[in-house]
Amino acid sequence: MAAYICTRFCVNKFKDSIRFIPQRYRVKTKWDFDTTYSMQLGSLWPSVRVAMLSEQKYGALINNFSSTSSMITAELEEEGCIDFIGSRQHSKDSRPLHNDPAEVDVSKPAAHEPRISPDIKCLVFPQGGISRFKPSRPDSTGLLGYYLLDAASVLPVLALDVQPGHTVLDLCAAPGGKTLALLQTHTVSFLWANDLSGSRTARLRKTLQSYLPREHLEENKIQISSFDGCKLGPTEEKRFDRVLVDVPCTTDRHSVMVEDNNMFNRSRTKERQRLPLLQIQLLMAGIQTARPGGDIVYSTCSLSQLQNECVVQQAISQAQEMGISVQVQDLGWLTQCFSNTFYFAPQLSVGELVLPHLCANFGPIYLCKLRRSN
Ligand code: SAM
């Protein structure tokens, strides 16, 4: 009862504070959104909310297929940008040392920092800076020099840890930011980029055409398709070394700022409520398509526990019922390496969450890495 009263008190306080939010920043369904996240994030929510209502920061993913990539990188560095991947702090061992073996969480095997390809570069303006990137220019062959994206959305790609010779499935790939980041590592031997939506798949193809030499796209190394990802589990079973499951979600930053086609509109309530089920089905398909020993990264751009940790936990138990064993992999190395650039949520039950923050206004991006063992 005390907890209930306390929660109601916090929500009411929050409702009071919301009256000061300018009309253009309010979304019709603000109560739904604010109530859910103020309860979930507690004292962190007001600061996350303010960050989400402020201008988002971008990262420039350098296109190393462009002949001008070194020049563009140098130009951006001269403007003060930093390659957040190349300048990461190296982690030794991501797990805190325990004296008592009983304290060690065996469900999360210790993970060391993997070898990240030196070819992938993503430049950001320094913390607190509000400079914007100019639109990218084409080189003499028409290839664009960089791709602008939420820099935190590169993290699921880094967590996937693609090594030379790996086959990769990008299950929900459009419009293609993460596909492009995967290709910048020059490690993938075969990449299948899939998306249910035909129009978004066309956008993905266009993105790849603007950034990759034609010969590269014509080789048999990249396959683009428009299938329902949920159905690929049985047909592509145990086929891939790495699987990225970047699911459709409530896209919280978009939802808080843009009223048009907002996922929190009453007309989309049913669709929103069905999202976790679809996300579980997609993650299950991802798990099925991974080979034994292969890794799967699940990601969203939502703060929602129901779409993040709950989906992962549900998929793990459904996989177990099917006789597939998957273990959550520790991403402590990733939070250690990139804590200078991103603000990570403390203490999630599974996975990691980049929280928007005024000093580091990226995210939200949730990611969780799983390893299939049989
Ligand atoms: N990975 C993309 C990127 O980095 O640019 C963003 C993916 S977006 C978050 C989610 C995508 O899932 C949407 O493009 C949507 O069309 C696609 N999608 C929705 N349902 C799907 C399904 N059943 N199978 C495959 N893709 C689906």
Side-chain angles (χ1 to χ4, degrees), residues 170-178 194-197 200 227-230 246-248 278 282:
D170 188 353
L171 196 62
C172 309
K178 296 183 190 69
N194 174 70
D195 199 282
L196 174 69
S197 155
R200 286 176 68 91
F227 296 132
D228 179 354
C230 302
D246 186 38
V247 293
L278 171 64
L282 286 165

Side-chain angles (χ1 to χ4, degrees), residues 32-232:
D32 222 359
F33 200 85
D34 289 314
T35 307
T36 307
Y37 291 149
S38 61
M39 283 201 243
Q40 184 186 309
L41 292 171
S43 61
L44 290 173
W45 172 235
S47 115
V48 172
R49 190 184 203 285
V50 166
M52 291 216 291
L53 290 170
S54 308
E55 192 171 317
Q56 166 182 22
K57 275 186 84 165
Y58 283 90
L61 177 71
I62 299 294
N63 181 21
N64 54 39
F65 294 97
S66 156
S67 57
T68 53
S69 65
S70 314
M71 193 184 78
I72 286 172
T73 307
E75 276 176 16
L76 290 174
E77 282 172 346
E78 228 163 79
E79 287 179 40
C81 289
I82 304 156
D83 171 22
F84 85 83
I85 304 171
S87 64
R88 68 190 177 279
Q89 298 171 302
H90 291 277
S91 68
K92 289 191 197 87
D93 186 346
S94 56
R95 314 275 317 273
L97 290 175
H98 294 266
N99 293 330
D100 178 2
E103 280 180 36
V104 178
D105 178 3
V106 287
S107 65
K108 285 186 175 184
H112 294 269
E113 181 187 338
R115 188 190 164 274
I116 294 176
S117 162
D119 295 331
I120 179 168
K121 289 187 169 51
C122 185
L123 277 80
V124 292
F125 283 102
Q127 277 213 354
I130 52 162
S131 310
R132 294 179 186 155
F133 290 101
K134 296 182 196 105
S136 182
R137 296 187 310 265
D139 67 8
S140 58
T141 62
L143 297 183
L144 292 171
Y146 53 76
Y147 182 90
L148 292 181
L149 77 185
D150 184 327
S153 66
V154 176
L155 296 178
V157 171
L158 301 180
L160 199 58
D161 181 24
V162 180
Q163 295 298 323
H166 276 165
T167 53
V168 182
L169 170 62
D170 188 353
L171 196 62
C172 309
K178 296 183 190 69
T179 315
L180 195 59
L182 282 164
L183 291 167
Q184 297 300 323
T185 64
H186 294 285
T187 50
V188 184
S189 76
F190 172 74
L191 174 71
W192 183 353
N194 174 70
D195 199 282
L196 174 69
S197 155
S199 59
R200 286 176 68 91
T201 306
R203 233 176 108 192
L204 161 78
R205 198 181 290 277
K206 214 162 166 237
T207 304
L208 296 185
Q209 284 164 350
S210 309
Y211 287 86
L212 304 181
R214 194 175 329 153
E215 320 79 76
H216 202 87
L217 267 172
E218 283 168 1
E219 283 173 32
N220 290 337
K221 284 180 164 182
I222 302 174
Q223 177 177 331
I224 300 172
S225 66
S226 197
F227 296 132
D228 179 354
C230 302
K231 298 194 173 141
L232 293 183

Side-chain angles (χ1 to χ4, degrees), residues 267-283:
S267 62
R268 298 188 74 186
T269 303
K270 284 233 161 70
E271 186 187 346
R272 196 176 79 243
Q273 286 167 344
R274 277 196 298 264
L275 266 178
L277 190 62
L278 171 64
Q279 291 161 338
I280 294 168
Q281 288 172 341
L282 286 165
L283 180 52

Side-chain angles (χ1 to χ4, degrees), residues 219-290:
E219 283 173 32
N220 290 337
K221 284 180 164 182
I222 302 174
Q223 177 177 331
I224 300 172
S225 66
S226 197
F227 296 132
D228 179 354
C230 302
K231 298 194 173 141
L232 293 183
T235 57
E236 309 302 325
E237 212 183 345
K238 299 185 180 175
R239 190 173 156 197
F240 295 93
D241 297 298
R242 298 286 185 264
V243 184
L244 181 60
V245 186
D246 186 38
V247 293
C249 67
T250 43
T251 55
D252 292 351
R253 191 182 276 276
H254 176 85
S255 297
V256 90
M257 292 300 269
V258 184
E259 189 131 0
D260 194 28
N261 202 28
N262 191 312
M263 187 55 105
F264 286 84
N265 282 347
R266 205 148 284 166
S267 62
R268 298 188 74 186
T269 303
K270 284 233 161 70
E271 186 187 346
R272 196 176 79 243
Q273 286 167 344
R274 277 196 298 264
L275 266 178
L277 190 62
L278 171 64
Q279 291 161 338
I280 294 168
Q281 288 172 341
L282 286 165
L283 180 52
M284 284 304 298
I287 292 170
Q288 283 176 279
T289 58

Side-chain angles (χ1 to χ4, degrees), residues 341-361:
T341 307
F342 303 106
Y343 184 79
F344 290 96
Q347 301 286 322
L348 262 58
S349 57
V350 281
E352 303 292 346
L353 174 66
V354 175
L355 287 176
H357 191 281
L358 277 183
C359 290
N361 208 352

